[in-house]
Amino acid sequence: MDTTSPYAGWASKDLTDPELAKSFRSGDVRALARAISLVERRDPTVRSLEESLRDSHRAPDVVGFTGAPGTGKSTLVDAIVSLLRSEEQSVAVLATDPNSPFTGGAILGDRIRMQRHALDPKVFIRSMGARGHLGGLSLATREAIRLLGAFGFDQVILETVGVGQSELEVAAVADTTVVVLTPNLGDSVQMIKAGILEIADVFAVNKADIDGHGRVVAELRTMLNMGPKADWKPPIVPTVATRREGVEKLWEAVLAHRRHLEASGRAAELARRRLRDETAEVAAELARERARRALEEDQGLAERLVKDGTPYRTAEEILRTRTDN
Ligand SMILES: Nc1nc2c(ncn2[C@@H]2O[C@H](COP(=O)(O)OP(=O)(O)O)[C@@H](O)[C@H]2O)c(=O)[nH]1
Ligand SMILES: [Mg+2]
């Protein structure tokens, strides 16, 4: 069990919300939802919550679904949720939309589609938006995943909306990334442009009930064969999400990739690197906050900065001399 915390070592102010931690521990899903909102807002309360949840830290398995809008990601995820529930596994779905300033209620269509699971306490579905934080979504997503693990979820599924740099960042949070394509050639062109093919551990070629499906699979195979030899060759799984066809095979492929990560030692390496990256991001966030506050509170410092025009020196001075956060 890894209890390393990106906030460890930072003096935390008295921001504890014991009620929240208590409800969270008792398995109150509203406490979980609230904690995720705090994470999204970058609210410092999360730090004390993290401290009080240290002993229940548990890293869940994370699989990400990415691909152009309309390829059937939500339908596939919904089918996988059903599959996991039939195995008595608990599952949380985080739908992330880097372009959406809205949270909680965003991606309404997806929420409606997955409503069949709405009354199941072992299923948690939640969307997260970026709220204008550059890179903030992947940080918030990582923290949300940690909360979901502490809450006790076995599996976490990420669904990203759209294709772009921020989707890649979010996908990098997952242990296994499933790229969803369809017989629509436009999708694959978009994917290639966005560099999304490279991040695929598994391909789902969805809408196998539509013409042109075989051609996309063949193209993909050719493309993969042209790439450098790697120790993992992404399997290509045809699916018809609406009829739940191929979904078990798809999940099998995800599990096979997980076993590969474990067997090759990559899983542990990835976990370690992620925690380090996250800690660096959190440190940057805290330092930025500290600098902003110092320049607001210390007029002398702010004046000197304007007079000398030395942001580096001033930043270093702030980091050296101020210890608050
Ligand atoms: N024909 C066909 N339609 C599908 C399939 N999977 C999903 N769809 C439809 O494609 C549309 C977009 O699906 P959705 O899951 O919302 O895609 P997302 O935007 O990638 O999450 C919906 O109307 C689905 O019913 C499939 O396998 N075959
Ligand atoms: Mg969707």
Side-chain angles (χ1 to χ4, degrees):
M1 198 156 89
D2 192 348
T3 50
T4 329
S5 148
Y7 289 122
W10 287 90
S12 75
K13 283 188 183 164
D14 189 23
L15 291 160
T16 348
D17 189 342
E19 283 291 305
L20 180 62
K22 203 166 146 231
S23 319
F24 189 103
R25 281 172 180 284
S26 75
D28 183 346
V29 79
R30 286 167 308 180
L32 171 64
R34 174 157 159 68
I36 292 180
S37 299
L38 293 173
V39 149
E40 234 173 350
R41 259 190 267 137
R42 320 299 313 139
D43 188 301
T45 309
V46 175
R47 273 187 253 171
S48 50
L49 182 66
E50 186 190 272
E51 285 303 326
S52 48
L53 294 175
R54 268 175 79 153
D55 55 348
S56 40
H57 171 79
R58 208 171 52 99
D61 291 321
V62 184
V63 54
F65 283 75
T66 192
T71 46
K73 296 179 295 296
S74 297
T75 316
L76 275 174
V77 169
D78 178 74
I80 284 170
V81 169
S82 298
L83 177 73
L84 292 171
R85 292 303 296 129
S86 73
E87 295 171 356
E88 291 298 320
Q89 300 202 60
S90 59
V91 54
V93 180
L94 290 179
T96 58
D97 187 349
N99 302 311
S100 170
F102 305 110
T103 63
I107 324 172
L108 196 60
D110 292 353
R111 286 166 73 86
I112 288 167
R113 195 165 301 119
M114 293 191 202
Q115 218 160 42
R116 82 183 88 214
H117 305 294
L119 293 175
D120 184 342
K122 297 282 182 194
V123 178
F124 178 82
I125 297 167
R126 162 78 188 223
S127 47
M128 292 176 69
R131 295 217 163 181
H133 294 286
L134 193 68
L137 188 57
S138 64
L139 188 55
T141 305
R142 285 169 214 247
E143 288 174 351
I145 290 169
R146 192 162 331 96
L147 290 171
L148 291 167
F151 199 80
F153 280 101
D154 300 315
Q155 306 280 345
V156 174
I157 301 180
L158 300 179
E159 180 189 337
T160 60
V161 176
V163 274
Q165 192 51 46
S166 26
E167 282 79 3
L168 292 182
E169 270 171 34
V170 173
V173 174
D175 306 305
T176 300
T177 298
V178 178
V179 168
V180 184
L181 295 167
T182 66
N184 176 358
L185 195 64
D187 291 347
S188 19
V189 173
Q190 264 196 64
M191 297 284 160
I192 293 163
K193 275 198 193 146
I196 278 191
L197 292 184
E198 284 84 351
I199 62 161
D201 301 307
V202 173
F203 285 101
V205 184
N206 192 37
K207 308 200 182 181
D209 52 333
I210 284 177
D211 277 354
H213 185 264
R215 198 198 50 211
V216 170
V217 171
E219 268 174 22
L220 201 53
R221 202 155 276 146
T222 309
M223 218 149 28
L224 291 178
N225 286 336
M226 289 188 317
K229 274 259 170 291
D231 58 349
W232 173 257
K233 196 168 166 231
I236 302 170
V237 186
T239 55
V240 184
T242 39
R243 300 202 296 248
R244 301 198 177 181
E245 286 171 24
V247 171
E248 279 182 38
K249 280 218 172 72
L250 181 60
W251 189 246
E252 257 313 305
V254 169
L255 295 181
H257 181 253
R258 265 181 204 169
R259 287 192 297 270
H260 163 76
L261 288 180
E262 291 291 341
S264 60
R266 283 275 295 152
E269 187 193 313
L270 277 172
R272 215 169 304 140
R273 200 176 62 204
R274 267 193 209 120
L275 268 171
R276 280 204 301 257
D277 288 352
E278 186 180 343
T279 303
E281 271 183 62
V282 170
E285 190 176 85
L286 295 179
R288 193 179 304 121
E289 222 15 76
R290 185 185 295 185
R292 212 170 268 151
R293 192 149 357 101
L295 292 165
E296 255 167 39
E297 289 168 2
D298 189 339
Q299 283 309 312
L301 183 72
E303 292 302 322
R304 239 184 307 130
L305 168 65
V306 173
K307 190 166 137 288
D308 301 341
T310 51
Y312 266 96
R313 198 204 307 150
T314 307
E316 276 168 0
E317 187 185 326
I318 291 170
L319 290 181
R320 212 175 38 242
T321 56
R322 305 235 347 179
T323 53
D324 56 329
N325 248 125

